[in-house]
Amino acid sequence: MPLSIKSTDRSRAGSAAADDDDVHVLPPDEHTRLLPNRVDSSRGMLTPDDPAVTPYNLWSIRLLRWVTVLFTVVTFFWWVVVLVSTFATPPGFHIRGSGFFAYGFSSLALANMLFTLIFFEIPARPVRVLSLVMSFVLLVDMIVLLAVQKTRYEEGWVGVVSVIWALNLSLWTILVDRTVKWGKAEEEERLTGRAETRRTLTEWLAVLLSSIGYTVMVIASVLMALTIILRALDAKFAPPGKLYWVDGGKYRIHVHCRGNDTAYDGSKQTTVLFEGGERPVEDGLWQFANEALDNGSIGRYCFADRPGIAWSDTAPSPLSAGFAVDALSEALAAADERGPWVLASAGIGSLYSRVFSARHGHQVHGILLIDPLHEDLLGGLASPGRGFLLWLRGILSPLGLEVLPGALFRGRSSQDRVYGRAVQQTGKNIFARLQESLVLNSFTRRDVGSSRQIQERDVPLAVISSGKHIKQDHGWEAKQRDLTKLTDNLLQWDIMDDAPPHVWKTPAGRDRMEKRLKQLLRNKA
C-alpha cells in the first residue's frame, strides 16, 4: 500500500513538472529553428532519408551551385556564338581553320557543366577520377595548340579560349564534387549522427549515368587530342607556293606558279590559270600542268587554292563564288600575277572561272571547261539534306573517326590529308564545302548568272565533256551543250567516250586537254 501511494505521488509530481515545462515553452513562430543546432541536439536525430538531410543546408554549397549555374549560362552563350559563326561569322570570331575544334571544346565544356548540375547532390569517386583524366587530356590539347605555330594560327583566339575554358571547367567539376561530398558528410554527421555510406537505388543509377557520361567525354577528349597531334604533324608539310594575305589581312590564299614570265620572242607569256573542281588542283590537275609544261604545250601556269582548300585558310561565312573570286584576284595581284590568262577549270570550279572571266574580261584570252557544272544543276549540291550531313560530319571531324584510322591502319600521309585522297575527311575541307553549299543556290547562282550576262562574247572557248557522265545522266549532255554557248567563239566541244568526270585521269583525256590548251594559247582552231 505505501508503495502504491508513493508511486502515485511521483507520477503526480512528474505530471506537475511537465505542466510547468509546457508553461515555459513558447509557441513556434517565424524565428523558430526548423533544425537543431550543433550544440542543442535535444530534439533527436533525423533519419538519413529525411529531406532535411542535405548539403544545401550549408551556404558554401548553395554558393557553389549558383556559381556552377553561372558558368553553365556563360558556356551556353559561348557555345551558341561558336555555332552561329559556322553559318555567319560575327566580327572578330573568324577562325582560319575549320572552327569545328572550337565548337567541339565548347560542346565538351557545356556537357560537363550540365552533368555537374544534374548530379550536383550525388558526388561520386568515378566522376572525380574521370574528370581528372579529362583535365590532363585537355591540358595536352592546350599545350599542343599553343606550342605548334600552325595550329595556334588556325584556331585563333576563339579556339584557344575554348580549350582553356573546357580545361578550367573540368577542374571546377573536381572541386564541386569534392566539396559537395564534404558538405554531405558534414550534414549527415550533424543530423543523423554519422556519415552515410549506403546509397539508394536512385543514387546508384545517377552514379552510373554520370560515370557513363564522363567516360564518353574522356574518350572524346582523347580522340580530339590525337587529331590535334595529327594536325601538328601535318603542319610540317610545306606548300609549293606562297601564302598571301587577302580581305584586309583576315586570311591567306595559297598561290603557286611555274614557268617563264616571257615568251621566246620577249613578249608577255600567257599564263594558264587552273581551277580545281570538287577536289584541290594539287590532286591531279597539278600533275597534268607539270607534264604539259615539260612537254612544251604551255609556257607557264598558276593556280590559287580557294579558301579552305589545301593550304589556303578558310574565309568568314558566308562565302559565295563572287567573294571567293575577289579573294583569288587579290592574292594573284599580291603575287604580281596579272595575266594575260587562259582559264582551265573542272567541275564546280568552272563556276568560279566563269565569274573570274567576267570580272577580268580583257585579261582573259581563252577558257577551257573540263566537264563543267551548269548553274541549273546546283540544286542537289545545295540541298538542305547535304548541308546538314556536311555540318554533322564537320562537328564530328575533331574526333578523327575517319582520319585517325586512315593514318594508323591505311598508311595515309600528310599529303593525303592536305590535298590527296583523304582531304575530304579533314575538318577544314568539310567546312569549305559546307560554306559553298550554304550559298550555292542563292548568292553563287546569282554571281554566275550575272557573269554570263557580262561575259565578253569574243573570248575563245573549248569544252571537254566526260562520256561516262553523259551516258549516266542524259540531262548532263543538254547542259554541256548550253555551256558551249557562253561565248560566240567556240573552238571545239569534245566528248571523251571512256573518260570519267576527271578527264585528265585517262591518257586520251590528257592528250585532248593539252591539244585544246595549245589552241587557246595560240588562239587558232
Side-chain angles (χ1 to χ4, degrees):
M1 189 69 178
L3 289 175
S4 63
I5 293 174
K6 290 180 180 180
S7 300
T8 303
D9 293 341
R10 287 172 182 170
S11 63
R12 289 176 178 175
S15 176
D19 293 338
D20 292 340
D21 291 339
D22 292 338
V23 171
H24 292 89
V25 174
L26 297 176
D29 56 18
E30 67 272 14
H31 300 290
T32 304
R33 291 178 58 90
L34 296 179
L35 297 174
N37 57 34
R38 300 178 187 274
V39 178
D40 182 12
S41 301
S42 59
R43 294 182 61 179
M45 297 295 179
L46 302 177
T47 62
D49 298 327
D50 195 306
V53 183
T54 172
Y56 286 126
N57 296 331
L58 301 175
W59 69 267
S60 58
I61 301 299
R62 295 196 297 273
L63 177 63
L64 206 64
R65 182 173 178 83
W66 280 113
V67 174
T68 304
V69 170
L70 176 63
F71 285 165
T72 304
V73 171
V74 172
T75 305
F76 177 74
F77 175 77
W78 180 261
W79 178 82
V80 169
V81 172
V82 175
L83 173 63
V84 170
S85 65
T86 302
F87 307 96
T89 306
F93 275 80
H94 172 226
I95 300 176
R96 300 184 182 99
S98 66
F100 292 127
F101 269 91
Y103 180 77
F105 288 126
S106 302
S107 300
L108 202 62
L110 182 60
N112 187 13
M113 285 293 95
L114 291 177
F115 270 87
T116 302
L117 283 177
I118 293 172
F119 303 107
F120 188 87
E121 288 186 77
I122 309 173
R125 183 181 179 85
V127 170
R128 294 192 295 276
V129 173
L130 291 170
S131 296
L132 184 61
V133 174
M134 184 168 65
S135 300
F136 174 76
V137 176
L138 289 173
L139 178 63
V140 173
D141 292 341
M142 184 188 69
I143 292 174
V144 175
L145 280 179
L146 293 176
V148 180
Q149 190 275 335
K150 185 173 178 61
T151 56
R152 184 174 68 249
Y153 165 81
E154 288 186 342
E155 293 303 317
W157 75 272
V158 177
V160 172
V161 167
S162 298
V163 67
I164 292 176
W165 183 248
L167 171 60
N168 289 334
L169 291 186
S170 64
L171 295 174
W172 175 259
T173 298
I174 300 173
L175 174 64
V176 167
D177 198 83
R178 182 65 183 172
T179 306
V180 172
K181 180 178 182 297
W182 164 82
K184 189 172 183 293
E186 185 79 2
E187 287 301 286
E188 287 173 348
E189 289 181 1
R190 182 172 72 87
L191 300 177
T192 68
R194 65 184 179 87
E196 189 62 39
T197 57
R198 68 179 180 87
R199 293 183 187 270
T200 63
L201 180 60
T202 303
E203 289 177 332
W204 277 117
L205 181 60
V207 171
L208 176 63
L209 292 177
S210 61
S211 300
I212 292 175
Y214 277 95
T215 300
V216 172
M217 284 188 275
V218 168
I219 294 174
S221 61
V222 170
L223 291 176
M224 291 175 71
L226 294 175
T227 308
I228 292 174
I229 293 173
L230 202 61
R231 286 178 58 193
L233 295 175
D234 294 341
K236 298 185 296 183
F237 190 55
K242 295 183 179 180
L243 296 166
Y244 297 93
W245 290 100
V246 297
D247 197 9
K250 292 181 181 178
Y251 58 99
R252 299 181 300 176
I253 295 295
H254 172 238
V255 177
H256 174 61
C257 297
R258 181 177 172 226
N260 296 322
D261 292 328
T262 57
Y264 64 90
D265 58 357
S267 61
K268 180 70 173 177
Q269 184 86 264
T270 300
T271 302
V272 179
L273 182 61
F274 286 95
E275 183 65 55
E278 293 74 18
R279 303 185 68 83
V281 177
E282 293 88 341
D283 189 26
L285 276 177
W286 184 22
Q287 292 74 16
F288 164 78
N290 283 327
E291 292 177 3
L293 183 66
D294 296 337
N295 294 338
S297 301
I298 62 177
R300 180 174 173 79
Y301 74 83
C302 287
F303 64 83
D305 296 320
R306 297 195 298 272
I309 303 299
W311 282 280
S312 291
D313 301 334
T314 58
S317 297
L319 180 70
S320 67
F323 293 153
V325 167
D326 289 341
L328 298 178
S329 302
E330 187 177 350
L332 290 171
D336 199 25
E337 296 291 341
R338 306 182 184 277
W341 308 104
V342 165
L343 307 182
S345 57
I348 197 172
S350 62
L351 301 177
Y352 297 89
S353 288
R354 289 168 57 187
V355 175
F356 184 93
S357 175
R359 296 185 179 183
H360 300 78
H362 296 298
Q363 298 172 327
V364 176
H365 292 182
I367 303 174
L368 173 63
L369 301 180
I370 308 164
D371 204 44
L373 175 66
H374 195 282
E375 60 267 28
D376 291 343
L377 303 178
L378 295 177
L381 295 177
S383 65
R386 180 176 182 268
F388 175 76
L389 290 178
L390 284 173
W391 177 77
L392 187 61
R393 284 188 67 189
I395 63 175
L396 294 177
S397 62
L399 301 178
L401 300 179
E402 294 178 296
V403 295
L404 289 176
L408 295 175
F409 307 114
R410 299 176 185 173
R412 299 291 188 261
S413 63
S414 295
Q415 175 181 317
D416 294 323
R417 290 184 292 273
V418 173
Y419 65 78
R421 48 189 171 176
V423 64
Q424 293 188 332
Q425 301 172 358
T426 61
K428 193 170 78 167
N429 186 274
I430 294 173
F431 182 79
R433 286 184 288 144
L434 175 61
Q435 277 186 316
E436 186 178 66
S437 173
L438 291 174
V439 297
L440 203 55
N441 213 19
S442 54
F443 296 138
T444 294
R445 187 184 180 93
R446 180 203 61 192
D447 295 337
V448 175
S450 300
S451 70
R452 186 160 193 163
Q453 300 301 319
I454 61 177
Q455 171 65 51
E456 294 193 2
R457 308 300 301 177
D458 59 344
V459 176
L461 171 67
V463 179
I464 301 177
S465 302
S466 164
K468 289 185 177 180
H469 206 162
I470 289 176
K471 293 175 183 177
Q472 294 171 358
D473 184 0
H474 295 293
W476 189 261
E477 180 180 4
K479 298 304 178 182
Q480 297 287 292
R481 187 182 303 277
D482 181 66
L483 289 174
T484 63
K485 304 174 183 178
L486 284 177
T487 72
D488 298 331
N489 190 6
L490 178 66
L491 295 184
Q492 190 68 37
W493 177 25
D494 299 300
I495 299 178
M496 308 304 297
D497 292 334
D498 298 325
H502 296 166
V503 176
W504 56 90
K505 290 189 174 181
T506 63
R510 288 195 298 270
D511 292 341
R512 191 62 54 89
M513 287 170 58
E514 283 196 46
K515 181 178 180 181
R516 297 307 172 209
L517 283 175
K518 283 183 180 180
Q519 291 177 343
L520 290 170
L521 290 169
R522 296 172 185 173
N523 198 15
K524 63 179 182 179

